[in-house]
Amino acid sequence: MSNQTEFPNLHILDHPLIQHKLTHMRKVDTSTKTFRQLLREIALLMGYEITRELPVSFEEIETPICKMNAPIIQGRKLAVVPILRAGLGMADGLIELMPSARIGHIGMYRDPKTHLPVEYLVKLPEVEGRTFILVDPMLATGNSAVAAIDVLNKHGVQDKDIRFMALVAAPEGVRVFQEAHPDVQVYTAGLDEKLNEKAYIVPGLGDAGDRLFGTR
Ligand code: URA
């Protein structure tokens, strides 16, 4: 895992398996089926890293040999929240890793003219004592990510209890995000070069939602 000094809250997950899978996702001729499968697999691998600091409690269990106090993660205390719709593809991998986690949804689309996020659905689990992992494959302008964190804040979730996971990020988006929510740690598989005039990440991988669901 590497860290950019300009972005102290950004963690780049540069594990070779993650990077290899991301390369295949970026290819223009990768099929919807493969894209979907790779996104799930990368999310699972990223989930392994971002859950490294989760607190564990101890439970007395019995092995075939003896009793012991063994560590467990309180799965009920986690929430995975995809930003719809592309976030759903990443949520799948995380839920496979943490099957007891609660699942929230934040529905947001990007206005094609203003590029600003428009919220259309918010459904969240009980927030008390819970860590929230917010997921969206593309951290582009940063506007949707900031708006989604604002939504979580409005529902009582503090920034320190949120982690944001994006497959690919643009420097412009990371900057916007960091200024708005400096206490939220951001995890990504790739920090790309820039945004283009249509606010797509360059080199990026195109429209993540369309590639995931086979739409256009
Ligand atoms: N959303 C996407 O799906 N792709 C981008 O490059 C930017 C935003």
Side-chain angles (χ1 to χ4, degrees), residues 110 138 140 199-201 206-208:
R110 186 165 63 153
M138 309 305 272
Y200 277 92
I201 298 178
D207 187 302

Side-chain angles (χ1 to χ4, degrees), residues 61-110:
I61 61 162
E62 203 168 340
T63 76
I65 310 297
C66 66
K67 287 187 176 170
M68 72 173 284
N69 273 324
I72 51 158
I73 291 173
Q74 293 290 341
R76 284 176 293 112
K77 290 292 176 196
L78 285 170
V80 174
V81 182
I83 301 179
L84 302 183
R85 65 187 166 132
L88 288 171
M90 290 190 98
D92 285 349
L94 289 177
I95 293 157
E96 200 169 318
L97 193 66
M98 300 171 286
S100 309
R102 299 305 190 242
I103 304 165
H105 292 94
I106 297 182
M108 223 160 239
Y109 66 89
R110 186 165 63 153

Side-chain angles (χ1 to χ4, degrees), residues 13-25:
L13 304 181
D14 50 11
H15 190 289
L17 275 175
I18 294 177
Q19 294 304 315
H20 173 87
K21 289 173 192 290
L22 175 58
T23 297
H24 285 292
M25 290 189 75

Side-chain angles (χ1 to χ4, degrees), residues 81-83 86-87 90 134-139 144-145 164-168:
V81 182
I83 301 179
M90 290 190 98
L134 185 68
V135 294
D136 193 358
M138 309 305 272
L139 178 55
S144 305
F164 183 70
M165 190 168 122
L167 181 66
V168 179

